[in-house]
Amino acid sequence: MTLDDFEPEAGCAGLFDTHAHLSYLDGRGINAEKLVPALFKAGFTGIIDVGTTAGDLAERMRAFSRFEHVRFSAGLWPHKEFLSCPERQLALLEQDIDTVPAGSVVAVGECGFDRRENPEPSGAERELLERQLDLARRRGLPVIIHSREAPAETIETLAAYPDVGGIIHCFSYGSSEARAFLDMGYYISFAGNISFKNAGALRETLKSVPLDRLLLETDSPYLAPEPYRGKPSHPGMIMQSYRRTAELLKIDIEELKERLRRNAAQVFNLRDVPA
Ligand SMILES: [Zn+2]
């Protein structure tokens, strides 16, 4: 699905994408500045544009803050190059948040652990996350947690910050890990990979998450759902995940939209999500 053959469907009304990287879309051949208004015209209710580096916020806001229902997070993904100087990166990140109008940033993240980027667990990766948990606490914001192949470390680190909450994004673990995050008050967000043929276990995990703690996301331009697997994804493709989830949970898709919209409003503390 390229932008040219993407026709927002009538069913787009009420959808919310809690995790997208809008500024990466252009580089993948998707004109986000055309796509985003088309989605809102079709009734989309929100997109969270997620940050990964210090210094990216002003540029993202320049491109997308004119769309009322695009909100922004700011955070440091556990890139190798950030681990050698977490203090400096954190200072830059705080500067980013202080430079934009108050209230523009609705979450800290994405931040966390990635055992493919950093195969050896290191104190530096944990420190970078802890600093961002501390930042979230000081600013009264939720965190967006990235956790790949590091469930135990993630659970242990988050447990030390019981007054911070947020989202475990692109959830990839089993039901017992989901339970541990839920018990700490976190929301669990699933991406387009729930539609993949070999993702039966992940679909079972999704079914175990209470409806009042569930979120859906595209993580665009990554993880395009079936039948677009392997292509760059964009927020419009979240329709596939809503359909699949409604089927799995055996609930009406309109009810699912309403519940997830409420969850997004709650976790990001949004007062004006359209119905
Ligand atoms: Zn992401």
Side-chain angles (χ1 to χ4, degrees), residues 19 21 50 52 77 110 146 169 217 219 222:
H19 193 118
H21 301 282
V50 174
T52 55
W77 200 89
E110 56 183 298
H146 170 94
H169 114 87
E217 61 173 75
D219 202 12
Y222 311 112

mmCIF file of all heavy atoms in Angstrom, residues 19 21 50 52 77 110 146 169 217 219 222, ligand 1:
data_model
loop_
_atom_site.group_PDB
_atom_site.id
_atom_site.type_symbol
_atom_site.label_atom_id
_atom_site.label_comp_id
_atom_site.label_asym_id
_atom_site.label_seq_id
_atom_site.Cartn_x
_atom_site.Cartn_y
_atom_site.Cartn_z
ATOM 1 N N HIS A 19 1.807 4.685 18.821
ATOM 2 C CA HIS A 19 3.268 4.660 18.654
ATOM 3 C C HIS A 19 3.621 4.673 17.169
ATOM 4 O O HIS A 19 3.474 3.664 16.478
ATOM 5 C CB HIS A 19 3.842 3.407 19.321
ATOM 6 C CG HIS A 19 5.335 3.416 19.480
ATOM 7 N ND1 HIS A 19 5.954 3.366 20.707
ATOM 8 C CD2 HIS A 19 6.345 3.450 18.569
ATOM 9 C CE1 HIS A 19 7.269 3.367 20.545
ATOM 10 N NE2 HIS A 19 7.527 3.409 19.249
ATOM 11 N N HIS A 21 6.562 6.661 14.207
ATOM 12 C CA HIS A 21 7.704 7.555 13.984
ATOM 13 C C HIS A 21 7.435 8.273 12.674
ATOM 14 O O HIS A 21 7.921 7.869 11.620
ATOM 15 C CB HIS A 21 9.012 6.748 13.929
ATOM 16 C CG HIS A 21 9.274 5.963 15.178
ATOM 17 N ND1 HIS A 21 9.764 6.549 16.320
ATOM 18 C CD2 HIS A 21 9.077 4.660 15.476
ATOM 19 C CE1 HIS A 21 9.880 5.629 17.271
ATOM 20 N NE2 HIS A 21 9.463 4.468 16.784
ATOM 21 N N VAL A 50 6.660 9.287 18.363
ATOM 22 C CA VAL A 50 7.572 8.870 19.435
ATOM 23 C C VAL A 50 9.015 9.235 19.106
ATOM 24 O O VAL A 50 9.497 8.979 17.996
ATOM 25 C CB VAL A 50 7.411 7.351 19.679
ATOM 26 C CG1 VAL A 50 8.437 6.845 20.680
ATOM 27 C CG2 VAL A 50 5.997 7.049 20.170
ATOM 28 N N THR A 52 13.269 9.171 19.674
ATOM 29 C CA THR A 52 14.286 8.161 19.950
ATOM 30 C C THR A 52 15.647 8.774 20.276
ATOM 31 O O THR A 52 16.530 8.070 20.764
ATOM 32 C CB THR A 52 14.480 7.221 18.743
ATOM 33 O OG1 THR A 52 14.784 8.026 17.596
ATOM 34 C CG2 THR A 52 13.243 6.384 18.461
ATOM 35 N N TRP A 77 16.378 6.152 22.878
ATOM 36 C CA TRP A 77 16.419 4.718 22.594
ATOM 37 C C TRP A 77 17.816 4.226 23.014
ATOM 38 O O TRP A 77 18.776 4.996 22.933
ATOM 39 C CB TRP A 77 16.192 4.542 21.084
ATOM 40 C CG TRP A 77 15.731 3.189 20.661
ATOM 41 C CD1 TRP A 77 14.440 2.762 20.567
ATOM 42 C CD2 TRP A 77 16.559 2.092 20.244
ATOM 43 N NE1 TRP A 77 14.402 1.465 20.121
ATOM 44 C CE2 TRP A 77 15.691 1.021 19.921
ATOM 45 C CE3 TRP A 77 17.931 1.895 20.126
ATOM 46 C CZ2 TRP A 77 16.151 -0.218 19.474
ATOM 47 C CZ3 TRP A 77 18.397 0.659 19.680
ATOM 48 C CH2 TRP A 77 17.503 -0.382 19.363
ATOM 49 N N GLU A 110 10.862 6.643 23.440
ATOM 50 C CA GLU A 110 10.970 5.326 23.969
ATOM 51 C C GLU A 110 12.352 5.081 24.554
ATOM 52 O O GLU A 110 13.362 5.519 24.004
ATOM 53 C CB GLU A 110 10.641 4.293 22.887
ATOM 54 C CG GLU A 110 11.472 4.389 21.616
ATOM 55 C CD GLU A 110 11.009 3.366 20.569
ATOM 56 O OE1 GLU A 110 11.076 2.152 20.822
ATOM 57 O OE2 GLU A 110 10.593 3.817 19.491
ATOM 58 N N HIS A 146 10.676 0.415 25.638
ATOM 59 C CA HIS A 146 11.110 -0.516 24.597
ATOM 60 C C HIS A 146 11.857 -1.645 25.308
ATOM 61 O O HIS A 146 12.784 -1.385 26.069
ATOM 62 C CB HIS A 146 12.046 0.225 23.627
ATOM 63 C CG HIS A 146 12.749 -0.668 22.658
ATOM 64 N ND1 HIS A 146 12.261 -0.918 21.396
ATOM 65 C CD2 HIS A 146 13.899 -1.393 22.771
ATOM 66 C CE1 HIS A 146 13.079 -1.753 20.768
ATOM 67 N NE2 HIS A 146 14.078 -2.056 21.573
ATOM 68 N N HIS A 169 5.758 -1.008 25.053
ATOM 69 C CA HIS A 169 5.389 -0.890 23.636
ATOM 70 C C HIS A 169 5.863 -2.098 22.839
ATOM 71 O O HIS A 169 6.812 -2.770 23.228
ATOM 72 C CB HIS A 169 5.915 0.448 23.085
ATOM 73 C CG HIS A 169 6.974 0.345 22.054
ATOM 74 N ND1 HIS A 169 6.680 0.208 20.716
ATOM 75 C CD2 HIS A 169 8.325 0.361 22.151
ATOM 76 C CE1 HIS A 169 7.825 0.149 20.041
ATOM 77 N NE2 HIS A 169 8.824 0.232 20.881
ATOM 78 N N GLU A 217 -0.727 -0.163 18.332
ATOM 79 C CA GLU A 217 0.204 0.796 17.719
ATOM 80 C C GLU A 217 0.695 0.218 16.399
ATOM 81 O O GLU A 217 0.587 -0.983 16.166
ATOM 82 C CB GLU A 217 1.401 0.990 18.647
ATOM 83 C CG GLU A 217 2.174 -0.316 18.872
ATOM 84 C CD GLU A 217 3.472 -0.161 19.659
ATOM 85 O OE1 GLU A 217 3.383 0.017 20.882
ATOM 86 O OE2 GLU A 217 4.546 -0.228 19.029
ATOM 87 N N ASP A 219 4.022 1.313 15.318
ATOM 88 C CA ASP A 219 5.482 1.457 15.313
ATOM 89 C C ASP A 219 5.966 1.772 13.900
ATOM 90 O O ASP A 219 7.038 1.343 13.485
ATOM 91 C CB ASP A 219 6.187 0.208 15.876
ATOM 92 C CG ASP A 219 7.609 0.506 16.378
ATOM 93 O OD1 ASP A 219 7.961 1.702 16.503
ATOM 94 O OD2 ASP A 219 8.360 -0.450 16.633
ATOM 95 N N TYR A 222 7.882 0.531 10.906
ATOM 96 C CA TYR A 222 8.263 -0.881 11.082
ATOM 97 C C TYR A 222 7.020 -1.765 11.202
ATOM 98 O O TYR A 222 5.902 -1.273 11.365
ATOM 99 C CB TYR A 222 9.123 -1.046 12.341
ATOM 100 C CG TYR A 222 10.252 -0.056 12.402
ATOM 101 C CD1 TYR A 222 10.275 0.950 13.370
ATOM 102 C CD2 TYR A 222 11.274 -0.086 11.454
ATOM 103 C CE1 TYR A 222 11.304 1.889 13.405
ATOM 104 C CE2 TYR A 222 12.301 0.843 11.484
ATOM 105 C CZ TYR A 222 12.304 1.829 12.457
ATOM 106 O OH TYR A 222 13.316 2.755 12.482
HETATM 107 ZN ZN ZN B 1 9.270 2.814 18.118
#
